[in-house]
Amino acid sequence: MTRVFSGIQPSGEMHIGNWLGAIRNWVALQDSHEAIYCIVDQHAITGQYDVGSLADRTREMAISLVAAGLDPSRSVLFVQSHVPDHATLAWLLTTIAPLGELERMTQYKDKSQRVESIPAGLLCYPILMAADILLYRADAVPVGEDQTQHLELTRELARRWNATFGAADTPFFPEPQPILTGARRIIGLDGQAKMSKSLGNTIGVTESPEEIWQKLRPAMTDPARQKRTDPGTPEICNIYALHRHFSPEATVAEVATNCRTAAWGCIDCKKVLAANMATTLAPIRERSLELRAAPGEVQAMLGDGAATARRLAGETMREVTDRMGFLREG
Ligand code: TYM
């Protein structure tokens, strides 16, 4: 069976961009693939972060993932820092990673502009990500579009390592391919930038119907609709884009017509979206409330997941360290 691996940072709550762009696929792939999923807490410390809440955010992310449909009996779910081999393999890959390519990563260029002194961890972030994936020799990685450049680098590192240390005929590391959904880049409530925890333009998957409404009400729409009677162009409106992910087809068609003819104002349109979004997300919200009431359950799942991941990672590392020529212990 083909193996998939993916990760999510516990840098805040899971938002609808994560869910539509990646997590829905994580859930679907559990049935057809050997699936390994990781909460990447070591990636979440590459910028300034709140030390006091990291553990809670990690637990909360695990709750959201299970609530969204990850089932530990059909996939492996664990926390990155519980499997020390991620950091070890990252170091080994750092020794063959091309500096120029790291500096060309879009995410690095964006993030390094926003800080005064650039931590090396920000530059090496994609090497740790490559280590996550290669440690399990995954064939494919369900992600949103923003991660495809990092995956290109992962493939490059796999090729370099195979060429240097692998047996030439059978490459040790597969070159992992991305698996994208039909919602590869969800725009945030500002109607401009990618929906992102760090930009505060998100809606969380476990938010209440009232919270969803409070966030959608001021969200950006087609700027041409200054007055209630101004007709709009649905194709340029992010609210319409979200309808396509949360509303039935007939409603999407109705939204388009009523926007073009100004039969509905933006608020009418948003009310329908808020209701459909709340209905779609209700099962995740309900399950997360149950799981939060029994925190031991998720903690135990993570313990089992880490044990399995450590075993799988150990198998890869034995082969990697042998091929790289290290002395075996004992
Ligand atoms: P992260 O934590 O930012 O996001 C988790 C997943 O959600 C996707 N995503 C989106 N998809 C569509 N529209 C959006 N607005 C949107 N925002 C986020 C991301 O593409 C991602 O799939 N570097 C990764 C974490 C990581 C990883 C890995 C992923 C670490 N190691 C190994 C895959 C494999 C990240 O920061 O994702």
Side-chain angles (χ1 to χ4, degrees):
M1 216 195 292
T2 349
R3 189 179 272 180
V4 293
F5 176 93
S6 201
I8 185 164
Q9 294 194 60
S11 43
E13 59 185 356
M14 183 196 296
H15 57 71
I16 57 172
N18 299 135
W19 184 64
L20 293 169
I23 309 304
R24 272 187 319 175
N25 258 356
W26 294 21
V27 174
L29 288 162
Q30 294 180 113
D31 294 322
S32 50
H33 289 66
E34 190 186 344
I36 306 174
Y37 300 126
C38 182
I39 302 168
V40 291
D41 51 353
Q42 290 172 327
H43 277 99
I45 61 165
T46 46
Q48 273 195 347
Y49 72 100
D50 181 27
V51 175
S53 65
L54 180 61
D56 280 344
R57 283 182 279 122
T58 304
R59 195 177 304 107
E60 222 8 72
M61 184 55 79
I63 287 174
S64 295
L65 288 167
V66 175
L70 286 198
D71 172 1
S73 71
R74 288 183 291 151
S75 58
V76 179
L77 175 65
F78 69 100
V79 175
Q80 186 184 37
S81 63
H82 297 173
V83 184
D85 281 336
H86 288 249
T88 307
L89 182 59
W91 171 251
L92 300 183
L93 295 173
T94 301
T95 63
I96 57 163
L99 186 59
E101 286 192 33
L102 292 171
E103 286 168 339
R104 272 195 290 280
M105 293 288 122
T106 312
Q107 195 170 305
Y108 169 71
K109 287 198 280 190
D110 283 355
K111 291 199 170 166
S112 59
Q113 267 169 14
R114 290 188 233 150
V115 290
E116 225 169 79
S117 155
I118 304 168
L122 208 53
L123 182 72
C124 297
Y125 179 109
I127 306 179
L128 180 57
M129 181 164 159
D132 297 338
I133 300 164
L134 298 181
L135 193 52
Y136 302 96
R137 301 172 72 192
D139 305 287
V141 186
V143 281
E145 191 178 62
D146 59 343
Q147 298 303 318
T148 54
Q149 195 187 29
H150 289 161
L151 274 184
E152 258 171 54
L153 183 80
T154 304
R155 288 195 291 277
E156 164 77 17
L157 291 176
R159 273 193 298 275
R160 281 186 177 226
W161 193 93
N162 288 339
T164 316
F165 307 106
D169 42 342
T170 47
F172 180 68
F173 287 127
E175 290 182 32
Q177 300 300 323
I179 301 179
L180 297 165
T181 68
R184 54 187 63 187
R185 188 170 186 270
I186 296 294
I187 300 297
L189 298 178
D190 52 5
Q192 309 271 322
K194 184 191 77 172
M195 183 171 284
S196 162
K197 287 164 255 193
S198 58
L199 297 176
N201 60 3
T202 63
I203 292 184
V205 293
T206 61
E207 293 201 65
S208 69
E210 180 54 26
E211 286 166 325
I212 292 174
W213 171 240
Q214 289 307 331
K215 287 200 170 169
L216 279 178
R217 203 169 48 153
M220 186 68 181
T221 58
D222 175 359
R225 298 204 70 183
Q226 295 288 329
K227 297 192 302 296
R228 164 78 177 70
T229 49
D230 290 333
T233 309
E235 290 74 18
I236 63 165
C237 178
N238 191 39
I239 297 300
Y240 178 67
L242 290 173
H243 267 293
R244 296 168 77 123
H245 296 297
F246 289 100
S247 298
E249 245 175 73
T251 309
V252 175
E254 202 184 353
V255 166
T257 309
N258 290 337
C259 175
R260 271 190 251 283
T261 58
W264 281 0
C266 293
I267 286 289
D268 304 318
C269 178
K270 287 172 172 177
K271 275 187 185 154
V272 177
L273 176 62
N276 288 335
M277 202 180 273
T279 306
T280 310
L281 298 176
I284 304 182
R285 177 173 159 72
E286 280 157 24
R287 183 86 179 99
S288 74
L289 292 174
E290 287 167 16
L291 289 163
R292 237 175 256 153
E297 207 176 305
V298 168
Q299 198 76 31
M301 287 175 189
L302 292 176
D304 291 346
T308 307
R310 275 195 295 269
R311 181 174 53 74
L312 296 171
E315 289 167 11
T316 304
M317 287 308 281
R318 252 187 306 283
E319 188 87 24
V320 165
T321 48
D322 275 356
R323 290 191 193 219
M324 291 183 78
F326 290 98
L327 174 69
R328 278 199 181 181
E329 187 190 344

